[in-house]
Amino acid sequence: MKLNDAVLGALFIALGAAVLFGVQGFPKIPGQPVGPALFPGLIATGLCVAGAVLLVQGWRGRRNGERWLAWEPWVQSPRHVAALAVLLGSVLLYIFAAGKVGFLPLAVLILSALFMTLRVPPGRAVLIAVIAALVVHFAFYKLLRVPLPWGVLTPYAW
Amino acid sequence: MVFEPYTIAVMLGASLFGLFVGAVPGLTATMATALLVPVTFFMPPIPAIAAMVTATAMAIFSGDIPGCLLRIPGTPASAAYTDEAFAMTRKGEAELALGAGLVFSAVGGLFGTVALIVAAPALAEFALNFSSFEYFWLVLLGLTCAVLITGDQPLKGVVTLLLGLLVACVGLGNPAGFPRFTFGNAEMTGGIGMIPMMIGMFAISEVIRYVVDTSPPAEVVVDKVGNVMRGQWALAKKYPVQILRGSTLGTAVGALPGAGADIAAWMSYAMSKRFSKEPEKFGTGHVEGIVESGAANNSALAGAWIPALVFGIPGDSITAIVIGVLYMKNMNPGPTLFTTNPQNIYAVFLLFIIANIIMVPLGLLCIKVAKRILRVPRNVLMPLILLFCIVGTFAINNTPFDVAVMLVAGVVAYVLEANRYPIAPAILGVVLGGMLEENFITSMIKSEGDLSAFVGRPIAAGLAALTFLVWFALPLLRALRSRRQAALRSSASPR
């Protein structure tokens, strides 16, 4: 995913401007020369300046035939796109569903889905997923005492 | 402390882990450190540090193995001489290349350790007199170096540095104690967790890169690796200057903030070629550059610990993670660490020595089973790493918020790197942002807003002068050089 310098430059200017706008509401500390707004304000100014330079550079690149956005070959391959989607989706799923569903079922699901999109044979994929989930659970839950959520398996917690 | 059975066991485990991670292409030494954090979180300080020191030393060496056998560097630190090593393999000299990587990695690592042992306490004594003014300039100088030394486009380094500094602003942790950019979220008040971010930037981004990689898997060309120690003594006798030069340059580059083993190896390889008596042989399977830059990348590891321990300023991305761990273990880096807790410092020195010595036998073992490691199916390995990242990130604070931080950091790092933005300045910005602001505000309060006080003390003035010199002189030099080259080119071309 190669973006033209101008695209990212505009993004950085927007971020810098948003921060500059945000720090206007920060309080001043009485009796002190500088407050909490100064530092982020300086950084945001820097981002705007750097973004502007990138914008100009990108504009020049455009004239030399650079595209706004150039994709790598994987975008053409449904298998790779699917793998990326499963990867990002599974982390999101974990963030939002781990508490309700529980670590073990989710880990097995995530691992088997990823294994299969990466072309591990289905039977082996599920087997490795189950073993790996149990091993990780044992190491972190039992040995390191991390409170991994039980979720739907709460009545059977061991 | 170091020779307790528990610590020894941890070191052995970490060694095998480091050798494995280094030898598998796509897994880096920094990633090894990031993956170790959740586990070391539950250990006492010394074994925790032991795990990181040994794992990284091993990983930087074993990155040479796939470079030599597959022409794919196992870690970025081996990239500089991967073509050279592979050319040697083609000529049937794989043993010599692997052996040189192993032996001179250990030599370079030991050299860097000696530099660490000599320089760190001396610097610490000097740094005891530092006030907020000196620290302000020191951090600024470090950040400047980080931007200038990484990548060919300093502007992109500036951008990632600013992004890192901005992330460091989030939360209550500023001198005024005012919650900044928290959007009313309770988890954001504590700031963005450094460790989840690093796991995202160094591990998740690699997993993403793997799943979208369309290049076909490489083939191992060597059937059997023979005795790799043969001929190494002759090499040591033939190239003593190169070994010394590589180790010295590596230590110095490692100590510079933002530049680590990979840049040390590139610079050292270029230097080796430039000063070689037979530069025409470089690139055709010539061992000289491997000897020099192989020593350089391992010495850089120890060099990076000098500013990390003395000032809390990381020399590379690995020590940036280590500093995070040191804070969690109440071993806050800084000159006082050397006076209040000298036994811990000596333990670190000892760990470095042991790690570099056991590297030789364990490395030999790793080379023996290299073929099997290179065959480990990465489509099984990568999802397992993902699961480990999720659980490990969750384990630090037991909150899914950190997992979200990890995911965002991983995606941002992937996109930035795909567009050739260097990541190291961002890490330094996050680690040092708080320190920079705190020392600046403290100084401003002490001087009642008088900026001239920033150069009122001799050392502060010296550091300030150095910082401005780097800011203005280096870009000027660069511009002059490119203009001269352009002039040469236009005069050489026919009109």
Side-chain angles (χ1 to χ4, degrees), chain B residues 38 52 82 101 105 132 170 191 221 276 288 293 298 300 311 333 343 370 373 405 420 427 447 472 481 488:
Chain B
M52 301 195 156
T82 289
S105 283
S132 61
V170 174
V221 295
S276 170
E288 189 178 348
S293 39
N298 272 76
F311 305 114
Q343 73 279 19
I373 296 180
V405 169
R420 299 177 48 86
I427 297 298
S447 68
F472 295 111
R481 199 189 301 157
L488 277 176

Side-chain angles (χ1 to χ4, degrees), chain B residues 163-447:
Chain B
L163 291 177
L165 288 173
L166 201 57
V167 169
C169 285
V170 174
L172 272 175
N174 56 73
F178 176 75
R180 295 190 296 206
F181 313 116
T182 54
F183 305 101
N185 183 326
E187 313 233 38
M188 299 272 276
T189 13
I192 307 280
M194 211 185 314
I195 300 299
M197 239 185 67
M198 301 223 188
I199 294 181
M201 294 185 109
F202 295 117
I204 296 297
S205 65
E206 293 293 351
V207 179
I208 297 178
R209 208 165 296 137
Y210 169 75
V211 299
V212 300
D213 183 19
T214 46
S215 51
E219 286 293 316
V220 185
V221 295
V222 181
D223 276 334
K224 205 164 160 279
V225 179
N227 182 7
V228 300
M229 296 308 275
R230 189 184 299 149
Q232 300 306 332
W233 181 239
L235 281 183
K237 275 196 297 194
K238 192 172 173 193
Y239 299 122
V241 180
Q242 282 81 346
I243 296 166
L244 190 66
R245 197 167 55 201
S247 305
T248 316
L249 182 76
T251 312
V253 172
L256 280 180
D262 41 347
I263 292 172
W266 282 109
M267 288 175 73
S268 167
Y269 184 78
M271 193 184 235
S272 183
K273 187 174 177 181
R274 181 149 188 189
F275 289 102
S276 170
K277 286 195 193 105
E278 19 189 30
E280 72 283 352
K281 283 194 183 168
F282 276 71
T284 63
H286 184 50
V287 76
E288 189 178 348
I290 300 178
V291 170
E292 182 158 346
S293 39
N297 59 17
N298 272 76
S299 63
L301 279 183
W305 281 66
I306 300 174
L309 286 176
V310 179
F311 305 114
I313 297 177
D316 59 2
S317 13
I318 294 172
T319 40
I321 303 177
V322 169
I323 285 179
V325 173
L326 289 177
Y327 274 111
M328 288 198 296
K329 302 280 170 213
N330 277 329
M331 265 178 78
N332 297 5
T336 45
L337 189 61
F338 289 77
T339 46
T340 53
N341 264 328
Q343 73 279 19
N344 281 345
I345 294 290
Y346 291 123
V348 172
F349 294 162
L350 202 55
L351 290 172
F352 262 101
I353 297 175
I354 300 173
N356 281 297
I357 290 174
I358 60 172
M359 182 196 289
V360 176
L362 290 174
L364 283 175
L365 191 77
C366 183
I367 293 173
K368 281 276 168 240
V369 297
K371 234 180 135 177
R372 229 171 275 170
I373 296 180
L374 295 178
R375 280 224 194 101
V376 167
R378 283 201 282 156
N379 55 358
V380 173
L381 196 59
M382 288 297 181
L384 293 178
I385 288 177
L386 176 77
L387 182 70
F388 191 81
C389 289
I390 295 176
V391 178
T393 307
F394 178 81
I396 307 276
N397 287 319
N398 301 333
T399 152
F401 176 77
D402 282 350
V403 182
V405 169
M406 170 196 87
L407 180 64
V408 173
V411 172
V412 170
Y414 170 75
V415 173
L416 285 177
E417 273 192 304
N419 286 287
R420 299 177 48 86
Y421 282 78
I423 293 300
I427 297 298
L428 250 69
V430 178
V431 176
L432 296 177
M435 198 169 156
L436 183 67
E437 180 174 18
E438 199 186 296
N439 284 305
F440 178 69
I441 304 285
T442 317
S443 305
M444 284 298 267
I445 293 171
K446 273 197 283 195
S447 68

Side-chain angles (χ1 to χ4, degrees), chain A residues 1-5 8-9 12 15 19 22-23 25-27 29 32-40 42-44 46-47 50-51 53-54 57 72-74 77 79-80 83-84 87-88 90-92 94-95 103 107 110-111 114-115 118-120 124 128 132-133 136 140 144-149, chain B residues 38-39 42 136 153 155-156 158-159 162-163 165-166 169 174 176 178-181 204 207-208 210-215 377-384 386-388 390-392 394-395 398 400-401 403-407 411 414-416 418-421 433-434 436-437 440-441 444-445 448-449:
Chain A
M1 200 169 97
K2 181 96 177 63
L3 290 155
N4 181 290
D5 278 348
L8 283 172
F12 296 138
L15 179 64
V19 171
V23 298
F26 287 7
I29 308 291
Q32 278 182 22
V34 285
L38 176 78
F39 211 65
L42 283 176
I43 298 167
L47 262 181
V53 178
L54 282 169
Q57 273 183 9
E72 282 110 11
W74 61 266
S77 149
R79 185 164 64 86
H80 288 90
L84 182 65
L87 167 67
L88 300 180
S90 51
V91 183
L92 283 175
Y94 188 90
I95 294 169
F103 171 79
I110 289 174
L111 284 180
L114 254 180
F115 283 149
L118 294 173
R119 289 190 172 168
V120 179
R124 199 191 297 172
I128 303 176
V136 169
F140 277 87
L144 302 178
R145 310 212 167 268
V146 176
L148 295 173
Chain B
V39 182
F42 299 93
F136 169 75
Q153 298 181 33
L155 179 67
K156 292 189 168 179
V158 171
V159 169
L162 289 171
L163 291 177
L165 288 173
L166 201 57
C169 285
N174 56 73
F178 176 75
R180 295 190 296 206
F181 313 116
I204 296 297
V207 179
I208 297 178
Y210 169 75
V211 299
V212 300
D213 183 19
T214 46
S215 51
R378 283 201 282 156
N379 55 358
V380 173
L381 196 59
M382 288 297 181
L384 293 178
L386 176 77
L387 182 70
F388 191 81
I390 295 176
V391 178
F394 178 81
N398 301 333
F401 176 77
V403 182
V405 169
M406 170 196 87
L407 180 64
V411 172
Y414 170 75
V415 173
L416 285 177
N419 286 287
R420 299 177 48 86
Y421 282 78
L436 183 67
E437 180 174 18
F440 178 69
I441 304 285
M444 284 298 267
I445 293 171
E448 292 172 347

